[in-house]
C-alpha cells in the first residue's frame, strides 16, 4: 500500500473549481477517493483575472477533497483552457548523420526541439507539441519510428500555443495555495481521455466540451489528434442572455436555465409559464417557457455554428478526413435539454452525450459520472499515467512527522526515486514525447515562479 499511485486532478473552470483524488483499483478502473468543489471567483473565460480569489477557491476545493478522502494533497495535474489558446499545424525534419544507426528517442527529441524554435507572437509560448504521422526517407504514415533505419526523419505536428503570462498565473495560484504543480494538459485533451473510446478516435470524432466560460473542441482521426480550438463562449453567456431577456437577477437566470431550459423552442407550449419571486416587496414575475427556450436556442445555435466552422476548417467534407463517429458533447452545457437533437440538426452529424463513467469503478457516486466532471476525471487519469504519488494518507503524514522528530537524518531518497522504475515500461512515442515535454515545461514554470519571488 505504501507505493500505491494516488492521483489528483485540478480543474480550474470559469464557474467551478474541482479537485479530485483517486487511484486505480485491481480491475484497472478509477476509484474516486474524494472530491472538492468550490465556486470559481477569479476566473473569466478560462483565464485567471484575480489571483487572490482564485487561490482562495483552489484552497476551498482542495480542503474539501482532503476532508472527504482522508488524504493530504501534495501535487496536482492542472488543465489549461481559455480564449488565448490556439493551435497550428507544422511539419519539420532532421537529416541524421548516420542512417545505418536505428532511430532512437534522441532523434525524435532533436526534431521536437526544432519545433520549439518556431517564431511565436509576442507573449506566446508553445504548450503542447503533439506528433501526428512520421515520414522516413519519403516513406509516409509511420506511427512508431523508433527502431527503424533512415537518413531523413520528418513529422507533422499539432502545435498548441497559449499566452505565457496566463499559464504562469495558473502556476502562481497553485503554488500560493500550498501545493505543487506536477503536470499541465490542455482541457479538451483531458476531457477526450475521459469520454472517448479508442474506436471513436480511430473512426474520427469531434469532442465538444461546453464549459461555463469557453467551449473547447478536439478532433481525432486515425487515433491521432488533428485539430483543437477554444471558442470564447459557454454556458455563462446563455445565463447572461436569460438575465437580460427576462429582466431577472443572475442567480434566478441560472436556475431557470438548469430547471426549465431547453435548446429546442418547439418543445414548449405557449401557455407554459413559470413564476419568479419578485425582488424585495415587488410582484412575482411570470416568464413564458417558450420565450425562455427561444433565448437559449439563439445563443446555443451561435456557439454550435462557430464550432461547426472549426470542424469544416479541419476538412470534415474531405472523404479521407470524414468524422465517422460524429460528435460527442460533454461539459456542464451538455446537460441542457434537447441540445443533442439541436447539434444533430445543425451539423447533420451523429451526436451523443459523453459521460466519464466508462473509466470509473462501479461503486462511484452517480454525480461523478456527469459530463460536468469529464475534465476533472481526465486530469486525474493524466496524473495516474505520470506515476506520481500526488497525495498521502493523513495518518501516514502524522507517522512520518513522529519519525522525523525521533530521527535526525531519515533515509528518504530510495522512496523518492521509486516511481522512476515504473517509467521503464514500453510506451508509445507519442506518450514519451508528451511526458518528456511536460516535465520540461512544468520545470520551466517552477523555475520562473521561484525566480520571480
Amino acid at each position: 500500500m505504501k507505493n500505491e499511485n494516488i492521483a489528483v486532478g485540478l480543474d480550474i473552470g470559469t464557474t467551478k473549481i474541482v479537485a479530485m483524488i483517486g487511484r486505480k483499483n485491481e480491475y484497472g478502473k478509477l476509484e474516486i477517493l474524494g472530491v472538492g468543489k468550490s465556486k470559481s471567483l477569479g476566473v473569466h473565460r478560462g483565464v485567471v483575472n484575480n489571483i487572490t480569489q482564485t487561490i482562495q477557491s483552489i484552497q476551498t476545493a482542495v480542503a474539501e477533497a482532503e476532508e472527504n478522502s482522508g488524504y493530504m494533497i501534495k501535487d496536482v495535474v492542472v488543465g489549461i483552457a481559455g480564449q488565448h489558446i490556439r493551435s497550428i499545424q507544422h511539419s519539420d525534419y532532421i537529416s541524421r548523420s548516420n542512417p545505418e544507426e536505428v532511430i532512437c528517442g534522441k532523434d525524435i527529441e532533436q526534431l521536437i526541439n526544432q519545433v520549439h524554435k518556431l517564431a511565436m507572437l509576442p507573449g506566446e509560448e508553445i504548450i503542447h507539441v503533439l506528433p501526428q504521422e512520421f515520414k522516413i526517407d519519403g516513406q509516409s504514415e509511420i506511427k512508431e519510428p523508433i527502431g527503424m533505419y533512415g537518413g531523413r526523419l520528418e513529422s507533422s505536428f499539432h502545435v498548441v500555443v497559449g499566452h505565457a503570462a496566463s499559464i504562469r498565473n495558473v502556476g502562481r495560484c497553485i503554488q500560493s495555495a500550498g501545493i505543487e504543480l506536477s503536470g499541465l494538459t490542455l482541457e479538451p485533451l483531458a476531457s477526450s481521455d475521459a469520454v472517448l473510446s479508442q474506436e471513436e478516435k480511430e473512426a474520427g470524432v469531434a469532442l465538444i466540451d461546453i464549459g461555463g466560460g469557453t467551449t473547447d473542441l478536439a478532433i481525432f482521426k486515425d487515433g491521432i489528434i488533428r485539430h483543437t480550438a477554444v471558442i470564447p463562449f459557454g454556458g455563462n453567456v446563455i445565463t447572461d442572455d436569460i438575465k437580460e431577456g427576462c429582466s431577472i437577477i443572475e442567480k434566478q437566470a441560472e436556475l431557470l436555465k438548469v430547471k426549465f431550459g431547453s435548446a429546442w423552442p418547439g418543445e414548449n407550449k405557449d401557455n407554459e409559464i413559470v413564476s419568479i419571486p419578485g425582488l424585495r416587496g415587488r410582484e412575482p414575475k411570470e416568464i413564458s417557457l417558450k420565450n425562455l427556450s427561444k433565448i437559449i436556442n439563439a445563443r446555443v445555435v451561435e456557439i454550435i455554428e462557430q464550432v461547426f466552422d472549426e470542424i469544416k476548417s479541419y476538412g470534415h467534407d474531405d472523404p479521407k478526413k470524414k468524422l465517422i463517429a460524429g460528435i460527442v458533447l460533454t461539459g456542464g452545457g451538455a446537460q441542457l435539454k434537447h441540445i443533442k437533437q439541436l447539434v444533430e440538426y445543425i451539423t447533420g452529424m451523429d451526436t451523443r452525450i459523453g459521460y466519464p463513467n466508462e473509466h470509473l469503478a462501479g461503486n462511484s457516486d452517480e454525480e461523478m459520472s456527469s459530463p460536468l466532471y469529464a475534465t476533472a476525471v481526465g486530469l486525474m487519469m493524466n496524473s495516474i499515467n505520470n506515476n506520481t504519488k500526488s497525495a498521502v494518507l493523513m495518518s501516514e503524514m502524522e507517522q512520518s512527522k513522529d519519525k522525523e522528530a525521533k530521527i535526525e537524518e531519515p533515509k528518504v531518497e530510495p522512496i523518492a526515486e521509486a516511481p522512476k522504475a515504473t517509467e521503464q515500461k514500453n510506451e508509445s512515442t507519442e506518450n514519451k514525447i508528451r511526458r518528456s515535454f511536460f516535465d520540461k515545461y512544468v520545470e520551466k514554470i517552477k523555475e520562473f515562479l521561484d525566480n520571480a519571488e
Side-chain angles (χ1 to χ4, degrees):
M1 288 295 283
K2 272 192 176 181
N3 288 326
E4 75 175 333
N5 181 6
I6 304 295
V8 183
L10 183 70
D11 175 15
I12 302 175
T14 305
T15 47
K16 66 178 189 332
I17 289 177
V18 179
M20 193 177 276
I21 305 174
R23 66 179 167 212
K24 257 190 185 175
N25 66 11
E26 63 269 36
Y27 308 109
K29 295 288 183 185
L30 295 177
E31 192 182 323
I32 294 172
L33 302 169
V35 177
K37 273 196 316 257
S38 68
K39 193 168 167 51
S40 186
L41 298 171
V43 183
H44 179 66
R45 289 189 177 166
V47 178
V48 173
N49 65 358
N50 187 316
I51 293 274
T52 310
Q53 286 185 330
T54 307
I55 292 166
Q56 286 170 351
S57 297
I58 290 171
Q59 285 172 330
T60 306
V62 164
E64 191 184 322
E66 288 177 337
E67 195 181 323
N68 292 341
S69 64
Y71 280 81
M72 179 78 77
I73 293 175
K74 294 196 300 180
D75 56 64
V76 294
V77 169
V78 72
I80 301 169
Q83 61 198 68
H84 62 94
I85 302 289
R86 67 183 182 97
S87 63
I88 49 175
Q89 297 294 334
H90 177 71
S91 292
D92 219 323
Y93 75 92
I94 56 163
S95 295
R96 300 179 67 237
S97 55
N98 187 358
E100 304 303 313
E101 280 183 10
V102 293
I103 292 165
C104 63
K106 278 186 181 176
D107 296 309
I108 289 167
E109 201 173 324
Q110 189 187 336
L111 186 54
I112 298 281
N113 290 339
Q114 262 183 217
V115 178
H116 279 271
K117 290 171 188 167
L118 272 176
M120 292 291 120
L121 293 171
E124 281 191 334
E125 252 179 37
I126 292 172
I127 305 166
H128 273 286
V129 176
L130 302 168
Q132 302 195 315
E133 282 112 348
F134 289 89
K135 215 187 246 191
I136 301 170
D137 293 344
Q139 182 190 340
S140 58
E141 295 184 13
I142 295 167
K143 286 187 180 177
E144 187 56 86
I146 290 176
M148 296 180 79
Y149 293 94
R152 180 183 163 113
L153 173 66
E154 57 186 300
S155 176
S156 53
F157 292 97
H158 182 76
V159 183
V160 181
V161 179
H163 282 172
S166 298
I167 299 157
R168 284 168 186 159
N169 285 339
V170 171
R172 173 80 182 159
C173 291
I174 290 162
Q175 193 184 55
S176 300
I179 43 183
E180 286 291 314
L181 180 64
S182 67
L184 286 163
T185 194
L186 194 63
E187 290 200 351
L189 287 181
S191 303
S192 68
D193 287 341
V195 302
L196 297 181
S197 67
Q198 193 54 41
E199 288 86 356
E200 284 175 317
K201 289 180 181 179
E202 288 286 343
V205 67
L207 176 83
I208 303 173
D209 185 342
I210 307 169
T214 58
T215 298
D216 304 333
L217 170 72
I219 296 175
F220 292 84
K221 179 76 177 172
D222 301 325
I224 297 165
I225 181 97
R226 300 291 182 181
H227 187 75
T228 50
V230 177
I231 286 110
F233 299 112
N236 288 2
V237 196
I238 301 168
T239 305
D240 287 344
D241 287 356
I242 297 166
K243 184 177 86 172
E244 299 296 327
C246 301
S247 301
I248 53 177
I249 60 171
E250 194 173 329
K251 195 177 176 183
Q252 292 171 334
E254 182 65 27
L255 271 170
L256 262 184
K257 180 182 79 174
V258 172
K259 284 198 167 184
F260 303 102
S262 165
W264 200 266
E267 282 298 310
N268 298 110
K269 297 182 181 75
D270 291 329
N271 60 353
E272 284 182 306
I273 284 168
V274 64
S275 184
I276 299 281
L279 295 173
R280 201 169 184 174
R282 292 169 181 82
E283 290 291 307
K285 188 168 287 206
E286 290 190 338
I287 288 160
S288 155
L289 290 190
K290 196 170 189 80
N291 285 343
L292 175 69
S293 60
K294 277 180 182 172
I295 293 167
I296 294 170
N297 173 266
R299 183 58 82 175
V300 175
V301 166
E302 188 190 346
I303 292 169
I304 299 306
E305 280 178 346
Q306 283 199 44
V307 174
F308 195 39
D309 283 343
E310 288 285 346
I311 294 171
K312 285 190 278 196
S313 74
Y314 145 77
H316 167 63
D317 297 333
D318 181 343
K320 284 184 179 176
K321 293 183 172 184
K322 195 168 177 62
L323 304 177
I324 296 162
I327 289 171
V328 175
L329 294 171
T330 194
Q335 297 178 115
L336 193 60
K337 266 186 230 137
H338 307 114
I339 193 164
K340 173 186 174 293
Q341 290 86 333
L342 181 65
V343 172
E344 285 183 333
Y345 176 74
I346 293 169
T347 63
M349 295 165 75
D350 286 342
T351 305
R352 74 169 177 90
I353 306 294
Y355 299 94
N357 53 356
E358 186 190 322
H359 300 282
L360 299 178
N363 60 351
S364 298
D365 188 340
E366 201 176 314
E367 191 192 358
M368 293 305 111
S369 59
S370 158
L372 202 68
Y373 294 101
T375 304
V377 170
L379 292 169
M380 193 172 69
M381 288 168 70
N382 204 286
S383 180
I384 280 175
N385 293 338
N386 288 347
N387 292 309
T388 53
K389 190 172 182 181
S390 297
V392 288
L393 272 169
M394 289 184 183
S395 55
E396 271 184 31
M397 287 281 285
E398 282 161 20
Q399 282 173 13
S400 67
K401 276 179 189 172
D402 290 344
K403 279 181 185 174
E404 275 175 29
K406 289 173 190 172
I407 305 162
E408 281 185 354
E409 290 177 86
K411 290 180 183 178
V412 292
E413 281 179 33
I415 299 169
E417 287 183 7
K420 287 187 182 174
T422 58
E423 288 174 21
Q424 301 304 317
K425 297 181 298 179
N426 289 329
E427 281 187 294
S428 72
T429 301
E430 185 182 348
N431 284 348
K432 276 181 189 168
I433 289 169
R434 200 186 290 191
R435 182 178 303 200
S436 68
F437 171 63
F438 273 124
D439 288 347
K440 285 179 195 166
Y441 194 75
V442 170
E443 284 304 317
K444 201 161 123 186
I445 289 174
K446 285 180 184 170
E447 196 181 315
F448 173 83
L449 292 171
D450 291 342
N451 291 341
E453 285 180 10

